[in-house]
Amino acid sequence: MEARIKSPNTKTEKMSHYKSNVRDIEFNLFEVLGIGELLDAGAYGDLDTDTVRNILAEVARLAEGPVAASFADADRNPVEFDAPNHAVVVPEPLRKTVEAVNEAGWSRLGLPEGMGGVPAPAPLVWAIGEMLVAANGSASFFNMGPLMASVLYTIGNEQQKHWAKEGFERGWAGTMVLTEPDAGSDVGAGRTKAIAQDDGTWHIEGVKRFISGGDVGDTAENLFHLVLARPEGAGPGTKGLSLFYVPKSHFDSETLELGERNGVYVTGVEHKMGLKSSPTCELTFGATDVPAVGWLVGDVHNGIDQMFRVIENARMGVGTKATGTLSTGYLNALEYAKERIQGADLTELTNKTAPRVAITHHPDVRRSLAMQKAYAEGLRAVYLYTAAHQNADVAELVSGADAELAARVNDLLLPIVKGVGSEKAYELLTESLQTLGGSGYLQDYPIEQYIRDAKIDTLYEGTTAIQAQDFFFRKIDRDRGVAFAHVAGRIREFIDSEAGNGRLKAERVLLETALTDVQEMAGTLTGYLMASQDQPSELYKIGLGSVRFLYAVGDLLIGWRLLVQAEVALAALDRDASAKDRSFYRGKVVIASYFAKNVLPTLTATRHILATLDTEIMELGEESF
């Protein structure tokens, strides 16, 4: 079922809910990041600039068509749990979407060549992912097999590499399996155990929950789980966990022809607020007389490090999903606002005969649309800049980082992409809904579903507080500020630049203040960390302030990347651009300026708050809450 979009002034029309923004994606890839230089030099084989533009157009058509087609139906008529057969039943409209995505084959881009992948720059891969996942988030969880196979191919032994390659060609699904009923974010508390067998296999016993894509019905012939479990006799915490390959059905090791059912079963499917057709399952291993047989991945007991290859990719994916959802929410709100005639212009407030105007004329609607646009396009710019550091050649081109430093910058920015991206997208989607007024609360429009589907992004793969603590403790302190200093250096270069003929002078001053604010916040939190050596309760201040710090760095990065875009846009305006392009570029300049003037100054207040934190709230008795 396609979403039915009502215009307040025209008859109901049947169309796709999803609105891509290929123009902005191309602007980032080619005009800002400049990856066309690498593409046209042959760095990625046959992928040149024209080919990539064609790919983006094709993906947009796929996303707006077959992928978006089951968006509403998958929400109203979600997957069902067939308890007697321990299986998920997939409705026909959603099945068609999954088939269309699989047949298109875009998942090959960026995968290892040895398993049938096609080399591609990471920013392109994630831009494609944005469109597909934002068009239908539930459907994306039926297509995790390629990612899981690529991880297995990278870290597995020779036999497992063969399974990964052939399983990928056969369209096998895959999952990451961490969470347990009594061990959510505290992964190291997991109790699922692994028992060594004489033939070199392992029997897995335990219960896992919240497993996205834990079963995909008959949309794939087989499915494999990458499972964290604790071998008997292993130590406590995350260091005692190992990673195991556990297939749904056994198979011939060479041909991969299917055999008997393995002893891992779906024992429940969660009923959720949103993403209702994403099959979020409870999995039970080894609870029957059929053992859940698994193989130690890579023949090494290094589970948490191996799983982090999946987790980091998943965090990037969550931030990309959130950004894409905000983008289509904004574009839906903008379309409505242009058509909705309501009230007179504010300057004609007392003139009862004044003509009624589109709500885009009203100041607060303009404010709301400006913030939606700034965050949708700013978050996209940040995730694409992050992705640029996932390829050594792109990183060198974009920021001058070598391969080692690029990896550290990527690690640094992932909590921003995931944590800030998910929180700001959810927050600004409420502005998208507000733009439609009461109509936004109706299922006639997609925004209420966007909000329900997007909330999980703040929880997936570690809550925002976990992202914030990871950002400070691991990505800044443990890294000794190396990656943080590199990014700050690139921001400083922009501040000191004379490009733009002084037309961004005031905005550069605001960005400089924001950079100073963020650097002082980092110093304040580091001071609390040092003080905790003598006074452990000082760590509470970091816990109380880390999310604010994460948001502040996110706003700094968004402000910077928007201003970089504005500089590029000003240069384009100085050239002979078409009327349509001139409107696009003017929007870039004004929105960057708006963000700098209306958001960046708030970082000074955050700096003062962090500098004066106390632990009084931690000393309050629970009975007083």
Side-chain angles (χ1 to χ4, degrees), residues 155 416 508:
I155 64 177
I416 301 293
R508 279 185 162 89

Side-chain angles (χ1 to χ4, degrees), residues 98-257:
V98 175
E99 289 175 354
V101 172
N102 290 339
E103 289 174 2
W106 297 118
S107 59
R108 289 187 183 275
L109 289 176
L111 294 186
E113 287 186 85
M115 62 172 283
V118 177
L124 170 63
V125 174
W126 287 112
I128 290 171
E130 177 200 325
M131 289 189 276
L132 295 178
V133 72
N136 196 333
S138 288
S140 66
F141 290 94
F142 288 78
N143 193 39
M144 296 192 299
L147 166 63
M148 302 304 164
S150 71
V151 171
L152 183 66
Y153 185 85
T154 302
I155 64 177
N157 60 31
E158 288 306 311
Q159 183 180 58
Q160 291 162 1
K161 289 179 186 292
H162 175 68
W163 296 347
K165 178 181 178 180
E166 296 304 317
F168 170 64
E169 293 297 342
R170 298 174 74 103
W172 286 8
T175 70
M176 55 188 294
V177 183
L178 295 82
T179 307
E180 299 183 14
D182 296 324
S185 298
D186 187 7
V187 176
R191 290 189 259 178
T192 296
K193 64 181 179 180
I195 305 163
Q197 304 298 304
D198 292 339
D199 63 358
T201 65
W202 298 73
H203 287 181
I204 312 300
E205 296 181 358
V207 178
K208 299 282 189 174
R209 70 181 306 207
F210 295 157
I211 308 306
S212 298
D215 189 68
V216 295
D218 57 2
T219 64
E221 70 168 11
N222 202 6
L223 179 150
F224 64 90
H225 308 286
L226 295 180
V227 185
L228 281 180
R230 194 178 310 278
E232 287 186 316
T238 57
K239 291 184 178 180
L241 297 173
S242 297
L243 188 65
F244 298 90
Y245 174 95
V246 184
K248 176 180 177 179
S249 293
H250 290 294
F251 54 88
D252 183 276
S253 290
E254 291 303 316
T255 67
L256 270 69
E257 291 299 320

Side-chain angles (χ1 to χ4, degrees), residues 504 507 559 562-563 566 587-597:
L504 296 174
E507 290 81 0
L562 288 177
L563 287 170
K588 285 293 183 185
V589 174
V590 172
I591 288 300
S593 179
Y594 184 88
F595 190 90
K597 295 170 182 174

Side-chain angles (χ1 to χ4, degrees), residues 249-501:
S249 293
H250 290 294
F251 54 88
D252 183 276
S253 290
E254 291 303 316
T255 67
L256 270 69
E257 291 299 320
L258 298 190
E260 297 296 319
R261 188 76 161 78
N262 200 5
V264 50
Y265 297 100
V266 176
T267 47
V269 176
E270 306 292 350
H271 300 278
K272 308 188 296 295
M273 168 182 168
L275 283 184
K276 293 185 177 181
S277 275
S278 163
T280 306
C281 302
E282 176 187 81
L283 293 177
T284 299
F285 296 79
T288 69
D289 56 356
V290 179
V293 180
W295 286 261
L296 181 66
V297 173
D299 298 325
V300 295
H301 293 283
N302 191 28
I304 197 65
D305 285 344
Q306 292 172 322
M307 182 60 89
F308 253 96
R309 292 175 179 264
V310 184
I311 293 171
E312 289 176 354
N313 193 290
R315 287 176 175 176
M316 185 79 178
V318 169
T320 304
K321 170 184 176 293
T323 298
T325 305
L326 173 58
S327 179
T328 186
Y330 158 64
L331 293 174
N332 273 279
L334 176 63
E335 179 181 75
Y336 181 97
K338 288 178 177 179
E339 297 177 349
R340 177 61 169 168
I341 307 301
Q342 184 79 59
D345 189 274
L346 190 60
T347 61
E348 298 282 350
L349 189 62
T350 59
N351 181 1
K352 302 305 180 184
T353 63
R356 307 296 93 175
V357 297
I359 63 174
T360 52
H361 288 257
H362 302 325
D364 192 64
V365 173
R366 284 282 175 121
R367 174 206 59 79
S368 177
L369 290 171
M371 292 299 285
Q372 292 171 55
K373 178 178 173 67
Y375 274 103
E377 297 179 7
L379 288 169
R380 177 181 291 119
V382 169
Y383 91 65
L384 288 172
Y385 184 81
T386 303
H389 291 82
Q390 294 168 9
N391 302 107
D393 57 346
V394 182
E396 173 66 30
L397 173 71
V398 169
S399 80
D402 60 24
E404 180 185 357
L405 180 56
R408 294 165 85 159
V409 170
N410 178 60
D411 285 344
L412 172 76
L413 298 180
L414 279 176
I416 301 293
V417 172
K418 194 281 180 189
V420 177
S422 63
E423 290 286 359
K424 291 301 181 180
Y426 183 72
E427 175 187 333
L428 272 297
L429 280 166
T430 64
E431 292 277 1
S432 302
L433 187 149
Q434 185 76 18
T435 305
L436 275 69
S439 295
Y441 202 62
L442 305 179
Q443 290 189 339
D444 296 31
Y445 298 89
I447 298 177
E448 62 84 26
Q449 186 178 335
Y450 291 162
I451 290 174
R452 290 186 289 108
D453 286 355
K455 180 55 194 171
I456 186 61
D457 297 334
T458 69
L459 310 174
Y460 272 144
E461 313 308 329
T463 61
T464 307
I466 290 172
Q467 302 299 321
Q469 291 186 31
D470 174 68
F471 181 65
F472 175 72
F473 286 118
R474 294 183 67 246
K475 307 305 175 60
I476 294 180
D477 180 66
R478 188 182 299 179
D479 188 52
R480 299 186 181 276
V482 172
F484 188 68
H486 176 76
V487 174
R490 303 293 77 73
I491 298 174
R492 170 57 62 185
E493 286 178 2
F494 175 82
I495 292 168
D496 294 340
S497 170
E498 296 296 328
N501 295 325

